[in-house]
């Protein structure tokens, strides 16, 4: 079955780069997603990558996909205190005619001044 | 208003009460979803609607009853809930059922 794993916690200093890692199991995933959740809020879609791509860059965010190892990473350049949140990785799995998202348990990013 | 709006933001109810959660999307999307987010567990998909037709019921107990009267609105009717149903309930929508999902801010539900 589908499974997504992430480390639970990451702590960085303001201005440093953050790298959040994720492994997934479904090799047929079409898209892989990164969502951000701030306290008291829902999930904000940050970025996503199509499974035939290796890399996607969007301003301070860089997504790297290693399909062979089923490894996905999110790099945040020049991390700011406002980036402190929980980051969820999700894989998409074709399921009875719709795209079912399977989420990891989230990585809590703490950015200190 | 833009995006996905959920009301109420917080709800406290007894086990014998009946209440409803409401979700409204202003994105022109055709698919809507209910998720449950419990502490220390991955998000659990509950229901999926596409063009107002339910396409997924992910083994959810019958005390949760969804309703999708049109493509912009989604409800979750609650009755006779249990303490373990306390969680954050998130609504999402997507252009169609194979496109990225956009989430609301959720309803924090507490069952006494």
């Amino acid at each position: 079955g589908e499974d997504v794993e992430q480390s639970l916690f990451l702590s960085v200093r303001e201005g440093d780069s953050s790298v959040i890692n994720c492994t997934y199991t479904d090799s047929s995933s079409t898209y892989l997603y990164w969502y951000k959740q701030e306290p008291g809020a829902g999930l904000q879609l940050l970025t996503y990558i199509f499974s035939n791509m290796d890399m996607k860059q969007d301003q301070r965010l860089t997504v790297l996909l290693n399909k062979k190892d089923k490894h996905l990473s999110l790099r945040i350049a020049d991390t700011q205190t406002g980036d402190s949140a929980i980051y969820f990785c999700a894989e998409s799995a074709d399921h009875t005619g719709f795209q079912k998202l399977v989420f990891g348990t989230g990585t809590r990013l703490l950015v200190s001044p | 208003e833009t995006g996905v709006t959920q009301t109420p933001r917080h709800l406290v109810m007894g086990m014998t009460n009946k209440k409803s959660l409401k979700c409204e999307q202003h994105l022109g999307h055709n698919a809507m979803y209910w998720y449950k987010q419990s502490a220390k567990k991955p998000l659990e998909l509950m229901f999926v609607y596409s063009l107002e037709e339910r396409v997924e019921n992910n083994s959810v107990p019958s005390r949760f009853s969804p309703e999708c009267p049109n493509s912009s609105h989604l409800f979750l009717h609650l009755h006779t809930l249990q303490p373990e149903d306390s969680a954050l309930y998130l609504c999402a929508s997507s252009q169609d059922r194979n496109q990225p999902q956009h989430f609301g801010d959720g309803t924090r539900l507490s069952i006494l």
Side-chain angles (χ1 to χ4, degrees):
Chain A
E2 308 101 4
D3 191 23
V4 177
E5 293 193 359
Q6 304 177 235
S7 52
L8 289 178
F9 189 74
L10 176 65
S11 179
V12 300
R13 289 195 177 275
E14 193 173 22
D16 289 349
S17 292
S18 307
V19 180
I20 302 172
N21 295 301
C22 167
T23 57
Y24 61 97
T25 56
D26 190 344
S27 58
S28 65
S29 290
T30 310
Y31 292 98
L32 294 130
Y33 297 87
W34 285 105
Y35 283 87
K36 175 184 180 183
Q37 187 175 34
E38 297 184 64
L43 273 66
Q44 174 194 352
L45 177 62
L46 279 181
T47 187
Y48 59 97
I49 188 167
F50 192 53
S51 58
N52 68 355
M53 297 170 64
D54 298 324
M55 185 183 87
K56 181 179 179 181
Q57 187 152 3
D58 184 0
Q59 299 182 331
R60 294 191 296 121
L61 305 179
T62 302
V63 179
L64 295 178
L65 175 60
N66 181 328
K67 264 196 100 169
K68 175 175 165 289
D69 295 337
K70 299 192 186 72
H71 182 267
L72 183 73
S73 68
L74 174 70
R75 179 178 181 269
I76 306 173
D78 187 25
T79 314
Q80 304 297 305
T81 54
D83 295 323
S84 293
I86 301 175
Y87 291 80
F88 292 91
C89 169
E91 64 173 349
S92 63
D94 286 334
H95 184 80
T96 57
F98 74 94
Q99 192 186 101
K100 179 180 178 181
L101 296 188
V102 179
F103 288 85
T105 50
T107 299
R108 184 179 296 273
L109 174 65
L110 178 64
V111 184
S112 53
Chain B
E1 292 190 49
T2 58
V4 180
T5 305
Q6 292 187 241
T7 53
R9 290 298 312 278
H10 302 272
L11 179 61
V12 179
M13 57 188 284
M15 288 191 285
T16 57
N17 291 157
K18 291 184 181 180
K19 295 284 185 185
S20 297
L21 310 185
K22 179 183 176 183
C23 175
E24 184 174 0
Q25 58 94 3
H26 307 272
L27 300 168
H29 289 170
N30 292 315
M32 297 188 76
Y33 311 77
W34 279 116
Y35 285 87
K36 177 183 179 183
Q37 187 179 31
S38 305
K40 302 192 190 312
K41 291 175 68 175
L43 261 75
E44 301 171 61
L45 178 66
M46 299 176 72
F47 300 104
V48 180
Y49 277 82
S50 176
L51 296 171
E52 300 143 48
E53 179 187 343
R54 191 192 307 180
V55 297
E56 175 76 354
N57 176 347
N58 199 24
S59 303
V60 180
S62 59
R63 56 186 184 267
F64 295 91
S65 175
E67 179 190 0
C68 187
N70 55 62
S71 59
S72 299
H73 293 86
L74 185 66
F75 295 89
L76 188 63
H77 303 301
L78 316 171
H79 65 96
T80 325
L81 293 194
Q82 304 300 308
E84 62 265 27
D85 297 324
S86 297
L88 181 68
Y89 289 84
L90 291 163
C91 173
S93 70
S94 60
Q95 182 60 50
D96 61 47
R97 49 190 172 179
N98 294 308
Q99 294 298 313
Q101 295 173 26
H102 299 262
F103 285 78
D105 283 336
T107 295
R108 174 70 61 187
L109 177 64
S110 298
I111 306 300
L112 301 178

